[in-house]
Amino acid sequence: MKPTEMPVVQTAGLTKVFKDFWRRDRVIAVDSLNLEVRRGEVFGLLGPNGSGKSTTIKMLLGLLYPTRGRISVFGKPPTDVAVKARIGFLPEESFLYRFLNARETLDLYGRLFEQHTRQRRERIEKLLDMVGLTAEATRRIGEYSKGMARRIGLAQALINDPEFLILDEPTAGLDPIGIRQIKDVIRELSRKGKTILLSSHLLADVEDVCDRITILYGGRERSTGDITDLLSREDRTQFITDKLTPETVDTVRTLLHESAGKNILSVGAPSDRLETYFMQTIEKAEKTNARSSGARRSGALPDFLGATAPPNVIEHLVSEADRKPPPSTAELLEIRPRQEARSKSEAVIEHLTQPKPAPPERTEAQTPVVPEKQDASEADRSIIDALMQKKKDADDG
Amino acid sequence: MGRIWAIARQTIAESLRMKIALVFIAFILVLVVGLPFALRKEDSVSSAVQTFLSFSIGGVEFFLSLLAIFLSRSLSEEVAGGQILTLMAKPIPRWQFVVGKWLGIVVLVGALLGTSGAAIYGTARWMATRPPRDEFDQLRLRDEILTARHAVPITPIDFSETAERLFNERLESGAYEDVIEKLDKKKEKARLRKDAEQRYRTLFPLESRVFDFENVRCDRSPDRTIQLRYKAEVWAYPMDEVLRAEWFVGNPDLGTPLYQLQRRDVINRYHSLFVPANAVAPDRSLRAQLYNRNPFEGEPQYGNTISFTSFGDIEVLFTVGTFGGNLARQLTMVMCKLVLLAAFAVMTVCVFSFPVACLVSFAFLALATMSGFLNDSLIHFEDEGVYWAFKKFAELLYTVAFFVIPDFSKYDGTSMLVNGRNVTLRWVLTAISNLGLGTIGIGLAACLMFQRREVAETSF
Ligand SMILES: Nc1ncnc2c1ncn2[C@@H]1O[C@H](COP(=O)(O)OP(=O)(O)OP(=O)(O)O)[C@@H](O)[C@H]1O
Ligand SMILES: [Mg+2]
């Protein structure tokens, strides 16, 4: 393997077991993980809470020592100090010095890279500008809001112009503008050839920026691959058009049925597809009763909540005066004309999609798994052609 | 070095802004500036200055020791607060981080010690300008406190020959006739030697005694003085608390003048005779002779017996340096201890959470300060019965503990300084090398421990 092709991060059988005071195993946080982050890619580390994302990242940085397995970062062990000059790291919480102000904070980290004073000052100002905190740079970080501190955390991670950037939940605590900015920064840096490893819960963000992802559950790798590969379904075809009226959808449906004998499986706005994939992966892992020391899927709302709500006295008295049967759902719809107008189109679509097989679970409604075997590739072309033809006819007529 | 300094700077900035250091600065200010006013009522200026010096130096050392321990909190905060994660993801070796923390503490503590030292010096000098109670007060202040004097003890006298002679005499005279079989010659000779020594230290009426000193390396010009310092007991009937006697200092055989000094001193207290320095012979020897005779006419001639409890009760002192230099040397020794303590405190926070680390460091400080005392008390420990096992156990414990824990009292020159004794450069250098070695050892241990520690593991 040529050195340029060497992966930035490679782990083999990486395992971390947290022990208790008596050195007994307590938590298997990461279990036989084989990770590979290639040069120049944006790699996403996904997983529910406590699935071992942060633990993995900490081991990559030599902040935790693996129980078993090997790690190489730029071909060196993670404890190698020289390697760290090429890495930028944003921890999952912005652990900064409360008593230093933003500029002093960045100055401290700049000094740790033994940067020359001029270069350091220059970079600090540019980074402060990038995260939009130049005006607040003389305030102590202890006074900052969570998101502001997070921005300084990001600036701090970039001070050495790292080749490899590790971001642990970079968007946590940020406002939508901040999230957008981080995504832009990631894309920009990626375009400049940097390698980026990020962990996140915001799947839409991951989907937007990542080239490859690994989904962890209970410290184990559940799925890895190119994001487009993972999400593409060979047995399906997706159209994305401008918004269609229910009538058009109806037309298309009939057309499809006539020309290719196929049904439309779902109609709606394009959905968050990674979310679906993610849920499926985790569900599958849970079904196999996989061991996890992290958080499980949340259970039902505890029944004590709202069970014995104290009666509101005034409301009680008022309702006593003109006791009426509670309004039915239909009545409620009546008194809300706007709602009804909107739900009209929905009703149409619902009507249109009536004949589809009932989905077994709610989550699968968005991309239901249909057992019918249909030859998708064959259908493709002809359907589109037919559609084009139909439209032309309509226009002419 | 840049990285170490970056960490040190950060530590200093933190302790200043978190106001830990400020509290200690306030303490020290109260101590150094406030104390002289509290000592206004002291009867003489010289004793006021002495009290001030011993309390202010001791107090500053105590507070700075506490500060050195408290400042190490910075490292445990970083581990607990997660800042360590960001720091250790930067290209700084672990050992440099540990050294940086230690350096930050040392610089801050050193700066405070330097400032307090200057303040103590200034205050002492200022106190010395107060009107003295009498001439004696003034002299004492100048020649016995705000100075640095070297002390020479009596040249040891060997009494074993005398003992041998006495033994043979007694043997021949038949004094041992009854006990000759059971006689332990060695023990008997040792007893005789002790007797002879005690006899030498005792002057019956009209007896005189010669005390010789060697290596009195002072400036011998006649306008300088040397001091003969002594403390004696007197047995008299009727009881009198006054020693009346004559000293002859100098050795005309070696060409020096002979100074005759008539004394009327309170017994069991130290007194200093000021003698022109040309009483010291060219070969740096000095002879002083005490004549047990009342030189004062008109006062009754008592049948006094003068006795010195030990030969350590007589010594010769001469000025070799200044008060300022002496203070600087004493504070250098204090600094050595603080440097070692800082290293120890940093080592503990490399392993324990702060409360635990703090306790361990305090225990270390206490043991190091008291180790001399503890060692002594062990020697006088009950040696019988159940105590024996306990003693052995304690001994073992102490041997192990004091192999690791240095004896800080060995490097405490406060009492020397307060009495205008020279805190020798050699002593200071010993402190630097011994405590320095200790610091390096502790520092290495700290670096090793931190190297092995998983910094993201907070459940320590
Ligand atoms: N220092 C520690 N001591 C003991 N257990 C730990 C420690 N750090 C993490 N763990 C455990 O390891 C598992 C993985 O934790 P980790 O922080 O890596 O999860 P994560 O995927 O980053 O979760 P999140 O999304 O909440 O950040 C959890 O079960 C956690 O309790
Ligand atoms: Mg995490």
Side-chain angles (χ1 to χ4, degrees):
Chain A
M1 199 182 270
K2 279 189 297 183
T4 46
E5 287 172 350
M6 196 180 62
V8 175
V9 173
Q10 205 168 20
T11 73
L14 184 62
T15 303
K16 178 68 191 179
V17 182
F18 285 105
K19 310 221 184 239
D20 67 6
F21 184 79
W22 307 106
R23 317 304 297 166
R24 289 178 304 197
D25 290 6
R26 192 174 40 172
V27 174
I28 304 177
V30 175
D31 194 357
S32 329
L33 189 63
N34 300 317
L35 214 62
E36 189 180 284
V37 180
R38 296 172 197 149
R39 195 169 289 262
E41 74 181 358
V42 181
F43 189 91
L45 209 50
L46 274 61
N49 291 132
S51 56
K53 304 183 294 292
S54 300
T55 306
T56 307
I57 287 176
K58 283 170 186 166
M59 282 193 285
L60 295 184
L61 287 159
L63 303 172
L64 286 174
Y65 302 142
T67 312
R68 278 187 295 281
R70 281 186 303 106
I71 307 175
S72 94
V73 181
F74 288 114
K76 301 262 173 56
T79 41
D80 191 311
V81 171
V83 161
K84 291 184 181 151
R86 301 159 72 182
I87 300 179
F89 172 50
L90 172 67
E92 64 186 317
E93 277 172 53
S94 325
F95 302 116
L96 298 165
Y97 292 104
R98 299 173 52 77
F99 59 91
L100 291 181
N101 67 36
R103 199 169 272 124
E104 288 165 334
T105 303
L106 295 180
D107 186 67
L108 167 66
Y109 292 119
R111 278 170 192 272
L112 293 181
F113 286 99
E114 300 202 310
Q115 289 172 348
H116 293 301
T117 315
R118 265 226 352 254
Q119 187 193 32
R120 201 169 63 226
R121 295 234 172 97
E122 228 167 74
R123 283 189 178 180
I124 289 171
E125 292 315 314
K126 284 182 183 157
L127 285 171
L128 281 174
D129 184 53
M130 184 194 92
V131 297
L133 286 172
T134 311
E136 307 294 323
T138 49
R139 281 175 61 192
R140 291 195 182 175
I141 300 228
E143 301 171 6
Y144 276 16
S145 74
K146 187 181 172 187
M148 286 162 85
R150 199 91 190 119
R151 284 160 187 253
I152 292 299
L154 179 69
Q156 160 277 127
L158 293 173
I159 194 138
N160 58 328
D161 183 24
E163 282 171 59
F164 178 34
L165 191 60
I166 299 178
L167 306 170
D168 199 350
E169 289 175 37
T171 51
L174 286 182
D175 59 17
I177 304 167
I179 292 178
R180 177 62 190 274
Q181 271 180 342
I182 284 225
K183 285 202 273 185
D184 288 346
V185 165
I186 292 171
R187 274 195 222 106
E188 186 81 7
L189 290 173
S190 170
R191 198 161 45 241
K192 289 188 173 166
K194 313 271 183 200
T195 312
I196 295 159
L197 169 67
L198 66 93
S199 85
S200 181
H201 294 300
L202 294 181
L203 298 168
D205 301 345
V206 174
E207 196 172 10
D208 280 352
V209 297
C210 287
D211 301 323
R212 282 196 324 130
I213 57 167
T214 277
I215 298 182
L216 294 181
Y217 179 79
R220 269 179 175 277
E221 175 187 337
R222 297 293 162 181
S223 168
T224 299
D226 233 81
I227 199 152
T228 40
D229 290 349
L230 286 180
L231 298 183
S232 77
R233 302 273 308 254
E234 293 297 315
D235 56 348
R236 294 285 156 78
T237 301
Q238 182 182 24
F239 300 111
I240 294 180
T241 70
D242 287 336
K243 187 160 174 63
L244 300 178
T245 63
E247 291 76 36
T248 322
V249 175
D250 218 5
T251 325
V252 172
R253 176 179 297 280
T254 332
L255 186 72
L256 261 178
H257 199 74
E258 283 165 5
S259 61
K262 308 264 177 183
N263 285 326
I264 290 180
L265 299 174
S266 83
V267 175
S271 67
D272 211 328
R273 296 184 53 212
L274 179 60
E275 183 179 344
T276 317
Y277 182 74
F278 181 79
M279 295 306 286
Q280 281 171 359
T281 312
I282 300 307
E283 263 162 35
K284 220 176 341 176
E286 272 179 341
K287 269 193 201 120
T288 58
N289 247 335
R291 169 201 53 73
S292 166
S293 51
R296 308 299 155 113
R297 270 212 303 166
S298 317
L301 195 69
D303 52 8
F304 66 85
L305 293 174
T308 53
N312 188 323
V313 180
I314 295 174
E315 200 174 275
H316 184 72
L317 287 173
V318 171
S319 61
E320 199 70 23
D322 49 355
R323 188 185 285 277
K324 253 196 208 169
S328 68
T329 323
E331 279 173 316
L332 279 175
L333 281 175
E334 254 176 26
I335 58 166
R336 275 192 253 156
R338 265 185 72 233
Q339 174 90 17
E340 201 222 18
R342 204 165 57 85
S343 58
K344 203 175 195 174
S345 62
E346 278 167 19
V348 173
I349 292 168
E350 215 161 273
H351 174 72
L352 284 171
T353 54
Q354 267 302 303
K356 76 177 176 189
E361 272 187 61
R362 209 203 147 270
T363 46
E364 291 189 358
Q366 285 159 321
T367 48
V369 185
V370 183
E372 310 165 34
K373 275 275 149 271
Q374 293 169 335
D375 197 346
S377 52
E378 204 183 87
D380 283 358
R381 209 63 249 167
S382 55
I383 295 170
I384 292 168
D385 288 347
L387 270 174
M388 299 299 276
Q389 188 58 46
K390 192 84 181 175
K391 183 153 197 302
K392 214 171 166 196
D393 289 352
D395 286 351
D396 290 350
Chain B
M1 195 58 214
R3 297 189 174 112
I4 296 179
W5 181 237
I7 297 293
R9 259 175 55 113
Q10 188 281 120
T11 312
I12 296 167
E14 174 180 3
S15 51
L16 290 179
R17 294 194 190 170
M18 303 293 251
K19 304 188 179 59
I20 307 173
L22 294 185
V23 172
F24 283 89
I25 292 172
F27 267 134
I28 288 165
L29 266 182
V30 167
L31 200 70
V32 175
V33 181
L35 200 57
F37 292 97
L39 293 171
R40 267 254 148 91
K41 298 207 174 70
E42 196 89 13
D43 55 343
S44 69
V45 178
S46 53
S47 59
V49 169
Q50 272 187 319
T51 314
F52 165 72
L53 282 178
S54 75
F55 273 96
S56 62
I57 292 173
V60 164
E61 179 176 352
F62 175 70
F63 279 130
L64 289 181
S65 299
L66 295 193
L67 181 63
I69 292 174
F70 273 117
L71 287 184
S72 68
R73 171 188 155 284
S74 162
L75 197 154
S76 27
E77 286 279 289
E78 277 160 11
V79 173
Q83 286 89 348
I84 195 86
L85 298 183
T86 326
L87 282 179
M88 291 295 108
K90 303 279 180 267
I92 175 170
R94 297 266 178 106
W95 70 266
Q96 288 192 2
F97 175 72
V98 174
V99 171
K101 281 284 156 201
W102 168 81
L103 185 67
I105 299 175
V106 166
V107 166
L108 195 70
V109 167
L112 287 179
L113 183 67
T115 319
S116 339
I120 290 172
Y121 180 81
T123 312
R125 284 279 176 222
W126 170 74
M127 284 175 81
T129 60
R130 286 186 196 168
R133 191 188 52 186
D134 49 28
E135 196 194 349
F136 178 69
D137 190 21
Q138 192 173 12
L139 269 183
R140 202 165 107 79
L141 193 61
R142 197 195 67 194
D143 293 326
E144 292 184 55
I145 298 168
L146 298 181
T147 179
R149 299 168 302 163
H150 181 61
V152 177
I154 280 183
T155 310
I157 307 163
D158 189 7
F159 291 100
S160 50
E161 244 171 64
T162 322
E164 192 74 37
R165 189 172 45 81
L166 275 173
F167 182 75
N168 290 335
E169 274 175 24
R170 298 194 68 176
L171 198 65
E172 278 163 29
S173 70
Y176 297 131
E177 207 97 293
D178 312 345
V179 289
I180 194 79
E181 310 92 55
K182 285 190 271 174
L183 187 66
D184 184 341
K185 286 188 180 174
K186 243 189 186 159
K187 248 188 184 165
E188 178 61 13
K189 280 180 192 169
R191 193 185 65 79
L192 287 173
R193 195 168 61 231
K194 229 172 144 191
D195 277 358
E197 190 193 310
Q198 198 164 343
R199 180 70 189 79
Y200 197 86
R201 285 193 266 111
T202 309
L203 285 82
F204 292 123
L206 298 178
E207 257 189 331
S208 82
R209 196 71 81 234
V210 168
F211 301 106
D212 276 320
F213 301 88
E214 277 164 19
N215 281 321
V216 187
R217 305 197 169 279
C218 63
D219 183 351
R220 288 175 56 244
S221 58
D223 52 337
R224 304 293 293 263
T225 56
I226 57 167
Q227 298 156 30
L228 182 70
R229 188 166 180 268
Y230 61 91
K231 182 175 85 174
E233 275 180 272
V234 170
W235 290 302
Y237 189 82
M239 282 298 280
D240 191 347
E241 299 278 289
V242 182
L243 164 96
R244 293 182 185 81
E246 260 182 315
W247 280 97
F248 296 91
V249 183
N251 191 351
D253 292 350
L254 293 173
T256 72
L258 186 70
Y259 296 98
Q260 183 183 5
L261 300 116
Q262 303 176 339
R263 300 293 299 177
R264 197 195 278 112
D265 298 324
V266 176
I267 64 166
N268 275 332
R269 289 265 303 266
Y270 275 108
H271 299 279
S272 292
L273 291 182
F274 290 86
V275 185
N278 60 357
V280 178
D283 68 350
R284 304 294 179 190
S285 71
L286 178 77
R287 170 158 293 183
Q289 199 170 351
L290 182 64
Y291 187 22
N292 186 5
R293 183 189 77 100
N294 187 357
F296 299 100
E297 278 178 34
E299 290 184 28
Q301 172 72 52
Y302 289 103
N304 286 351
T305 298
I306 301 172
S307 149
F308 297 98
T309 319
S310 83
F311 284 130
D313 283 355
I314 316 166
E315 60 188 349
V316 163
L317 294 151
F318 52 93
T319 305
V320 288
T322 60
F323 167 67
N326 220 18
L327 180 66
R329 284 191 293 276
Q330 156 65 5
L331 292 182
T332 308
M333 284 206 290
V334 171
M335 190 63 208
C336 289
K337 291 186 243 176
L338 291 173
V339 162
L340 185 135
L341 189 63
F344 188 85
V346 168
M347 181 180 78
T348 56
V349 289
C350 281
V351 189
F352 303 115
S353 65
F354 183 64
V356 181
C358 202
L359 280 178
V360 173
S361 293
F362 278 136
F364 176 82
L365 176 62
L367 284 176
T369 314
M370 299 189 305
S371 78
F373 162 75
L374 287 176
N375 266 332
D376 289 350
S377 65
L378 192 70
I379 292 166
H380 300 301
F381 211 80
E382 196 86 39
D383 207 359
E384 288 161 31
V386 268
Y387 292 114
W388 183 85
F390 183 72
K391 182 184 170 168
K392 282 289 153 207
F393 177 71
E395 248 173 19
L396 189 75
L397 214 68
Y398 277 22
T399 321
V400 173
F402 292 118
F403 182 73
V404 190
I405 299 173
D407 182 357
F408 277 2
S409 58
K410 266 201 259 177
Y411 310 106
D412 186 9
T414 313
S415 64
M416 300 293 267
L417 182 86
V418 164
N419 289 308
R421 302 296 189 96
N422 190 33
V423 176
T424 61
L425 192 61
R426 168 184 282 208
W427 194 10
V428 176
L429 291 178
T430 316
I432 292 176
S433 65
N434 287 358
L435 296 176
L437 273 178
T439 306
I440 291 171
I442 292 171
L444 279 177
C447 291
L448 270 177
M449 286 169 184
F450 196 64
Q451 192 83 37
R452 292 191 47 196
R453 180 163 182 181
E454 295 180 88
V455 291
E457 171 73 87
T458 50
S459 52
F460 266 75

